[in-house]
Amino acid sequence: MTRKNALVVGVTGISGANAADLLVAEGWTVHGLARRPPEDLPGVNPVAADLRDAAGTRAALAGLDISHVFFCTWARQESEDANCRVNGAMLQTLLDGVTAHSRLDHVALVTGLKHYLGPFESYGKVKPDTPFREDQPRLPYQNFYYVQEDILFAEAARHGFGWSVHRPHTMIGWAIGNAMNMGVTLAVYAAICREIGRPFLFPGTPQQYEAVTDVTDARILAKQLVWAATTPAARDQAFNITNGDVFRWRRLWAALAADLGVEVAPYPGHPTPLEQQMAGQEGTWDRIVAKHGLAPHPLGTLASWWHTDADLGRELETFTDMTRSRALGFMDLQITERSFTDLFQRLRAERIIPPRG
């Protein structure tokens, strides 16, 4: 492979930002696309484009000669029908814009475990078989992941590029203002608990508290994205991606509390959603920011109560088989506890959350 000219779509998100960091570190030319891409990402050339504007997207991509696309974005809609329509059109617009100007070698699409669980409005209506395997049949419901896959397959056949699909579990990693970042949400939750003298209570279901599960560090997803894009045997494959270990929240919760310096509450045996626990706590967060001189991010920018409630509120067992990529040589492993503690350490260093103590 001689051309290493990457376009990371959704470079401000948790998966896109970490993919861009790794690509830069490995010597790629990296272009980061977003509606408002930051100008100060080291080694990343900003590309401003709105994927709902086909003409504007095509113009923004002119002259870049992209070899590899890493599609790491989505736009949440009010229904799955709208998700399918909007997110399918975004991918189609991007691929039309790139192929108008570039000869692509590979496109990587990041989706997730709703491939196996169903979208939010059909979540868990069909009990999934675990561990999730990439060859399991699609569920009989609308799912924008399926729509995006079909667009990707059709465009790959039309233009002759290779593809990969990557299905992470709950994402843990550095990103601010991302709606799917459980790690930042839990760190903020712990800070509020400390401030108001409330113990750190696991908010989810008994099934999630007791069951075996896994998560995906954004850094290991980035490694798999680059591996699949540069490994001939991985061409035209879908891959699950998790840290490679499994855990139970009943043990990990106490470890996270210890790192965050907050007292653990006994689990009450039923869900207590964060949206309810944290309702009206904006003023508390503002007080924490002022007391500790933190970066002035509003509570709603950092914490995504609804998404963490959705993850921890499942009544289904959810964990993933990694055999397909292991058999092809992807052997990276990430210890889950360190995924969280590494993130918490950076959040403290960047003055996003208060220090321990």
Side-chain angles (χ1 to χ4, degrees), residues 73-121:
T73 191
W74 72 296
R76 187 187 183 205
Q77 306 299 309
E78 292 299 318
S79 69
E80 195 58 20
D81 182 67
N83 274 327
C84 291
R85 185 172 62 255
V86 171
N87 288 283
M90 288 168 59
L91 178 60
Q92 186 70 62
T93 293
L94 186 282
L95 293 177
D96 288 346
V98 174
T99 55
H101 302 290
S102 303
R103 178 178 58 82
L104 280 175
D105 293 333
H106 188 92
V107 175
L109 171 66
V110 178
T111 61
L113 289 199
K114 288 192 289 296
H115 184 94
Y116 308 110
L117 292 164
F120 289 123
E121 60 197 57

Side-chain angles (χ1 to χ4, degrees), residues 45-58:
N45 305 311
V47 179
D50 184 340
L51 295 183
R52 302 189 200 189
D53 175 1
T57 298
R58 182 173 295 207

Side-chain angles (χ1 to χ4, degrees), residues 18-85:
N18 282 272
D21 284 347
L22 181 60
L23 290 162
V24 169
E26 295 197 353
W28 291 59
T29 298
V30 181
H31 308 277
L33 186 148
R35 283 180 296 173
R36 293 177 294 277
E39 302 283 339
D40 58 351
L41 292 179
V44 177
N45 305 311
V47 179
D50 184 340
L51 295 183
R52 302 189 200 189
D53 175 1
T57 298
R58 182 173 295 207
L61 296 171
L64 297 185
D65 191 26
I66 300 299
S67 62
H68 292 71
V69 168
F70 300 88
F71 195 88
C72 305
T73 191
W74 72 296
R76 187 187 183 205
Q77 306 299 309
E78 292 299 318
S79 69
E80 195 58 20
D81 182 67
N83 274 327
C84 291
R85 185 172 62 255

Side-chain angles (χ1 to χ4, degrees), residues 220-254:
I220 203 168
L221 170 60
K223 291 177 181 178
Q224 194 192 60
L225 286 167
V226 177
W227 167 81
T230 56
T231 302
R235 181 185 172 102
D236 300 348
Q237 299 267 4
F239 297 108
N240 294 328
I241 175 62
T242 63
N243 284 353
D245 63 0
V246 294
F247 65 93
R248 299 179 197 272
W249 277 109
R250 70 185 186 203
R251 189 206 66 81
L252 183 61
W253 195 254

Side-chain angles (χ1 to χ4, degrees), residues 321-340:
D321 181 85
M322 287 277 291
T323 301
R324 178 176 286 183
S325 60
R326 298 286 189 238
L328 294 174
F330 182 77
M331 305 303 292
D332 287 80
L333 174 71
Q334 169 66 43
I335 298 171
T336 290
E337 186 173 329
R338 292 183 186 170
S339 293
F340 283 97

Side-chain angles (χ1 to χ4, degrees), residues 32-341:
L33 186 148
R35 283 180 296 173
R36 293 177 294 277
E39 302 283 339
D40 58 351
L41 292 179
V44 177
N45 305 311
V47 179
D50 184 340
L51 295 183
R52 302 189 200 189
D53 175 1
T57 298
R58 182 173 295 207
L61 296 171
L64 297 185
D65 191 26
I66 300 299
S67 62
H68 292 71
V69 168
F70 300 88
F71 195 88
C72 305
T73 191
W74 72 296
R76 187 187 183 205
Q77 306 299 309
E78 292 299 318
S79 69
E80 195 58 20
D81 182 67
N83 274 327
C84 291
R85 185 172 62 255
V86 171
N87 288 283
M90 288 168 59
L91 178 60
Q92 186 70 62
T93 293
L94 186 282
L95 293 177
D96 288 346
V98 174
T99 55
H101 302 290
S102 303
R103 178 178 58 82
L104 280 175
D105 293 333
H106 188 92
V107 175
L109 171 66
V110 178
T111 61
L113 289 199
K114 288 192 289 296
H115 184 94
Y116 308 110
L117 292 164
F120 289 123
E121 60 197 57
S122 305
Y123 210 64
K125 288 185 178 179
V126 174
K127 185 176 181 180
D129 188 21
T130 52
F132 301 132
R133 300 176 64 93
E134 296 93 342
D135 58 1
Q136 289 175 212
R138 291 179 174 181
L139 299 176
Y141 304 111
Q142 277 190 308
N143 192 321
F144 83 84
Y145 291 168
Y146 305 161
V147 171
Q148 288 187 317
E149 284 188 347
D150 289 343
I151 290 168
L152 177 63
F153 302 158
E155 291 301 304
R158 178 183 175 193
H159 294 283
F161 58 77
W163 57 265
S164 58
V165 175
H166 303 261
R167 299 170 184 161
H169 198 168
T170 300
M171 295 279 288
I172 308 299
W174 172 257
I176 301 302
N178 186 274
M180 302 173 68
N181 197 339
M182 178 191 286
V184 176
T185 297
L186 294 182
V188 170
Y189 170 47
I192 293 173
C193 286
R194 281 175 53 192
E195 180 68 16
I196 64 178
R198 180 185 297 179
F200 192 53
L201 175 65
F202 181 77
T205 61
Q207 292 90 339
Q208 287 301 302
Y209 190 67
E210 296 289 346
V212 170
T213 190
D214 50 29
V215 297
T216 305
D217 192 304
R219 296 170 297 187
I220 203 168
L221 170 60
K223 291 177 181 178
Q224 194 192 60
L225 286 167
V226 177
W227 167 81
T230 56
T231 302
R235 181 185 172 102
D236 300 348
Q237 299 267 4
F239 297 108
N240 294 328
I241 175 62
T242 63
N243 284 353
D245 63 0
V246 294
F247 65 93
R248 299 179 197 272
W249 277 109
R250 70 185 186 203
R251 189 206 66 81
L252 183 61
W253 195 254
L256 301 189
D259 188 86
L260 292 165
V262 65
E263 178 187 351
V264 177
Y267 181 59
H270 58 78
T272 51
L274 292 174
E275 278 200 305
Q276 297 174 14
Q277 289 193 55
M278 295 289 102
Q281 294 294 340
E282 290 80 6
T284 302
W285 179 251
D286 291 343
R287 186 167 69 247
I288 293 169
V289 169
K291 179 190 296 186
H292 297 280
L294 304 182
H297 296 289
L299 181 59
T301 299
L302 298 176
S304 184
W305 310 128
W306 71 271
H307 195 272
T308 296
D309 282 339
D311 277 339
L312 299 182
R314 296 173 183 148
E315 297 179 350
L316 303 165
E317 181 181 72
T318 51
F319 68 100
T320 296
D321 181 85
M322 287 277 291
T323 301
R324 178 176 286 183
S325 60
R326 298 286 189 238
L328 294 174
F330 182 77
M331 305 303 292
D332 287 80
L333 174 71
Q334 169 66 43
I335 298 171
T336 290
E337 186 173 329
R338 292 183 186 170
S339 293
F340 283 97
T341 57

